[in-house]
Amino acid sequence: MIHCEDVLKSFGDKNVLNGINLDIEEGQIFGLLGPSGAGKTTLIKILTNQLIFDSGNVKVMGKPVNKLTGEDKKKIGIMMDSFGLYERLSCNDNLKIFADIYGISHSCISEILNYVGLGEAGKRAASKLSKGMQARLKLARVFMHNPKIIFLDEPTSGLDPQSMKAIHKLILEKKNMGCTIFLTTHNMEEAAALCDNVALLNEGRIVECGVPEEICRKYNHQKTLSMHLASGEEIELPHNKEAAEKIFELLKKGMVETIHSSEPNLETVFLEITGRKLEEA
Amino acid sequence: MRNSLIIIKKQLKDTLKNRTILIQFILFPIMTLVMENAIRIEGMPELFFTKLFSVMYIGMAPLTSVAAIISEEKEKNTLRVMMMANVKPLQYLLGVGIYVWTICMIGAGVMATGFRGRDILTYMCFMGVGFVISIVAGACVGIFSTSQMSATSLVMPAMMVLSFAPMLSMFNERIARISQIFYTQQLRICLDTLSLDSIEKETYIVMAVNIVILMVLFCITYKHKGLE
């Protein structure tokens, strides 16, 4: 569905993307993770033909991205962090403009507003909505024409946990409906919760790519189990026969309160590979 | 054309909620009606305020509103959303241009209530031409600017010159000579005579030069800056 091959992009002397290779299959959620300034927004702009790349090959829906027709563009939905709303207009009017552009009946507007949880806010001016509600209105604008591919640039950036959760639910529902979703984030929990595949981007290079769980397993060098015992003691055991016997004994005696394996999360994998934190400014 | 009509519809809804733009459209028509009915001075030319405010209306309303509309959409990135939804830049510009022109023509219609018969048509023709030129000038500023703030700082001096030079030229010979190079001054002369037959060759030349300069400026700005 989305194909990138050796994509290079520089601004002046600064190389922002250095040979990006990606293949995203239909119906999956692909997450591009990286700290601020890693090149995530530049890549999403290239994939949506908002920015011309220096060299390489980018195909969306099997066509070179700069050859997409008007009809092709109608199969794509884009939500960028910077994309605004018509603030003086109501939620209904904001969506009516795009319903007209996409040639969709106005009757679907209340349906889509209900879907994103803004059913009661249809007549409210967009400027009067909270940040989370504005994000949901932007999502409604993206979803309303049922696109095949959805690009989401930091869709939950700056939102409270409740709004974040509501948006995650909407994204997963869209995936279940067969949409291909490309999202950028610097939130590894979000990536782990939503994405079938992720790529870790650092200074314009993809440093790791794959299924989140597999990546975490791959970087599980410690291979230990940590336990919190009823006595309050914390113990760490290696993956071996002796440790297994000890765990069995402790469990049998009912002394184990919690038990955790030591595999890293995406944050620690990123830190190990790059020496940087994902949420670093 | 369908997308341009959508833009027109959107602008209509937006203007009703945007006092800054709304005032631009209704200020001079209302002032004309009030002044023409409230002030009577011995020896004052017929429809003096109508003609005076008409030129100011040409130089102000379309210029500032088009620049404000385009620059606001650029600043808030709503224009980019439009482009991503496959609205072509020229469809957008056409939509904004037609909308502003129509609203200004309605305003001119209100201002034309003092005229009679054929004069109304002639007056509307002059106003229509003036609005088109000012819309192109406003589009140049809107395309060039990245924010409303920068658009305002560019549009203010242009607006002051185009609107006030024709008025000041009534009182100062030197200003009158300089302001002859502007289309608004030529339109003021046309509105004074209000006859298509009496338009002088100089007026045609100045108007044509103004149009050509603005069109070239528009093409250059659009080529370099685009709409995004």
Side-chain angles (χ1 to χ4, degrees):
Chain A
M1 207 62 166
I2 301 168
H3 172 79
C4 276
E5 200 181 315
D6 285 330
V7 175
L8 293 172
K9 175 70 189 171
S10 56
F11 293 112
D13 295 339
K14 198 184 176 217
N15 290 335
V16 180
L17 296 177
N18 293 303
I20 300 292
N21 291 292
L22 286 177
D23 251 314
I24 302 167
E25 284 169 26
E26 193 174 348
Q28 67 167 233
I29 301 183
F30 184 89
L32 187 65
L33 272 98
S36 302
K40 303 188 296 291
T41 303
T42 304
L43 184 57
I44 217 169
K45 280 185 174 174
I46 286 172
L47 295 176
T48 52
N49 201 28
Q50 295 177 67
L51 202 61
I52 298 165
F53 47 99
D54 299 337
S55 67
N57 187 10
V58 177
K59 283 184 179 175
V60 173
M61 293 187 288
K63 287 183 184 177
V65 71
N66 56 350
K67 296 274 190 301
L68 292 176
T69 61
E71 280 311 304
D72 294 328
K73 285 182 185 173
K74 288 184 179 177
K75 292 175 189 156
I76 298 173
I78 306 161
M79 178 186 167
M80 304 284 286
D81 193 27
S82 58
F83 280 7
L85 295 162
Y86 291 104
E87 289 175 3
R88 287 180 291 270
L89 300 184
S90 66
C91 297
N92 280 331
D93 286 338
N94 263 282
L95 295 185
K96 267 181 198 168
I97 297 166
F98 290 90
D100 288 342
I101 291 171
Y102 292 126
I104 308 167
S105 160
H106 287 183
S107 60
C108 77
I109 290 170
S110 56
E111 200 180 302
I112 190 83
L113 282 173
N114 281 326
Y115 179 66
V116 298
L118 291 176
E120 303 290 309
K123 288 181 180 168
R124 247 155 92 185
S127 60
K128 301 264 164 66
L129 301 177
S130 68
K131 206 172 172 205
M133 289 167 99
Q134 285 188 349
R136 277 185 278 156
L137 182 57
K138 286 179 192 174
L139 270 186
R141 187 170 66 187
V142 173
F143 291 164
M144 70 184 302
H145 61 293
N146 289 320
K148 278 187 167 179
I149 304 180
I150 298 172
F151 291 94
L152 304 170
D153 186 20
E154 309 261 359
T156 57
S157 171
L159 298 186
D160 59 274
Q162 203 182 348
S163 301
M164 201 184 271
K165 219 170 163 188
I167 286 175
H168 286 175
K169 189 171 162 260
L170 293 170
I171 293 171
L172 285 170
E173 276 175 18
K174 274 288 156 187
K175 183 215 161 180
N176 293 336
M177 289 158 87
C179 278
T180 307
I181 298 165
F182 182 102
L183 69 89
T184 67
T185 181
H186 58 248
N187 182 338
M188 63 97 191
E189 282 170 16
E190 179 169 88
L194 295 177
C195 302
D196 300 304
N197 278 293
V198 293
L200 305 183
L201 188 71
N202 184 48
E203 292 175 352
R205 284 181 202 280
I206 291 180
V207 290
E208 191 55 84
C209 189
V211 178
E213 294 82 6
E214 283 175 10
I215 293 176
C216 293
R217 277 198 295 273
K218 185 177 163 187
Y219 287 86
N220 186 8
H221 310 305
Q222 281 182 299
K223 293 192 175 160
T224 56
L225 290 165
S226 56
M227 284 188 286
H228 182 84
L229 304 182
S231 60
E233 194 188 350
E234 293 277 353
I235 60 166
E236 203 166 81
L237 297 167
H239 286 199
N240 58 29
K241 198 179 164 193
E242 291 76 37
E245 282 163 5
K246 189 168 183 189
I247 294 166
F248 178 70
E249 281 302 313
L250 288 167
L251 284 169
K252 215 160 74 170
K253 288 177 190 163
M255 287 175 71
V256 178
E257 278 208 341
T258 62
I259 182 163
H260 295 285
S261 60
S262 67
E263 79 260 17
N265 58 29
L266 291 171
E267 176 80 50
T268 46
V269 169
F270 192 83
L271 186 67
E272 182 183 331
I273 300 172
T274 66
R276 295 174 74 186
K277 284 186 178 178
L278 272 173
E279 302 212 28
E280 198 165 80
Chain B
M1 195 61 200
R2 196 175 69 94
N3 283 345
S4 297
L5 287 172
I6 295 166
I7 304 296
I8 292 170
K9 218 164 93 180
K10 187 258 306 172
Q11 276 313 132
L12 191 60
K13 280 181 187 167
D14 193 54
T15 303
L16 295 172
K17 291 169 183 171
N18 185 354
R19 268 179 252 156
T20 323
I21 299 285
L22 193 62
I23 286 169
Q24 299 283 339
F25 291 136
I26 62 172
L27 178 69
F28 285 106
I30 290 174
M31 270 174 65
T32 303
L33 290 182
V34 171
M35 298 295 265
E36 285 293 354
N37 289 298
I39 298 177
R40 295 258 183 273
I41 301 168
E42 191 70 34
M44 190 171 74
E46 197 190 357
L47 297 169
F48 173 78
F49 289 113
T50 304
K51 290 172 183 176
L52 177 70
F53 290 149
S54 295
V55 178
M56 293 173 87
Y57 194 40
I58 290 170
M60 260 188 213
L63 183 70
T64 51
S65 53
V66 170
I69 291 167
I70 297 174
S71 60
E72 186 185 10
E73 291 237 37
K74 282 176 82 175
E75 186 178 346
K76 294 187 176 160
N77 262 322
T78 44
L79 193 50
R80 191 173 281 255
V81 186
M82 285 267 179
M83 302 296 125
M84 297 313 296
N86 202 30
V87 174
K88 302 275 182 289
L90 288 177
Q91 292 173 337
Y92 172 80
L93 289 173
L94 200 64
V96 172
I98 292 172
Y99 167 75
V100 171
W101 188 84
T102 309
I103 298 289
C104 286
M105 285 302 277
I106 293 169
V110 174
M111 294 168 91
T113 46
F115 294 106
R116 291 287 165 266
R118 203 181 143 84
D119 284 353
I120 295 176
L121 196 65
T122 314
Y123 170 81
M124 293 300 278
C125 282
F126 290 140
M127 294 297 279
V129 171
F131 291 145
V132 171
I133 304 173
S134 288
I135 285 168
V136 176
C140 290
V141 176
I143 294 168
F144 185 78
S145 312
T146 46
S147 67
Q148 289 182 85
M149 190 74 95
S150 62
T152 308
S153 57
L154 281 174
V155 94
M156 282 306 277
M159 182 199 80
M160 298 288 268
V161 169
L162 293 171
S163 306
F164 291 108
M167 183 183 74
L168 296 173
S169 69
M170 289 191 289
F171 313 109
N172 186 305
E173 194 58 36
R174 216 166 145 199
I175 293 174
R177 273 205 305 277
I178 296 166
S179 67
Q180 272 177 358
I181 61 169
F182 302 121
Y183 66 96
T184 43
Q185 170 68 0
Q186 294 303 324
L187 284 166
R188 195 188 75 79
I189 296 166
C190 292
L191 288 174
D192 276 343
T193 53
L194 216 61
S195 159
L196 291 169
D197 302 329
S198 62
I199 301 173
E200 290 183 19
K201 203 172 156 188
E202 187 195 335
T203 300
Y204 282 117
I205 294 168
V206 173
M207 296 281 283
V209 171
N210 271 258
I211 292 169
V212 170
I213 289 172
L214 284 169
M215 286 309 292
V216 170
L217 204 62
F218 175 83
C219 293
I220 293 169
T221 321
Y222 183 75
K223 197 178 167 203
H224 285 273
K225 290 268 186 176
L227 258 194
E228 292 184 57

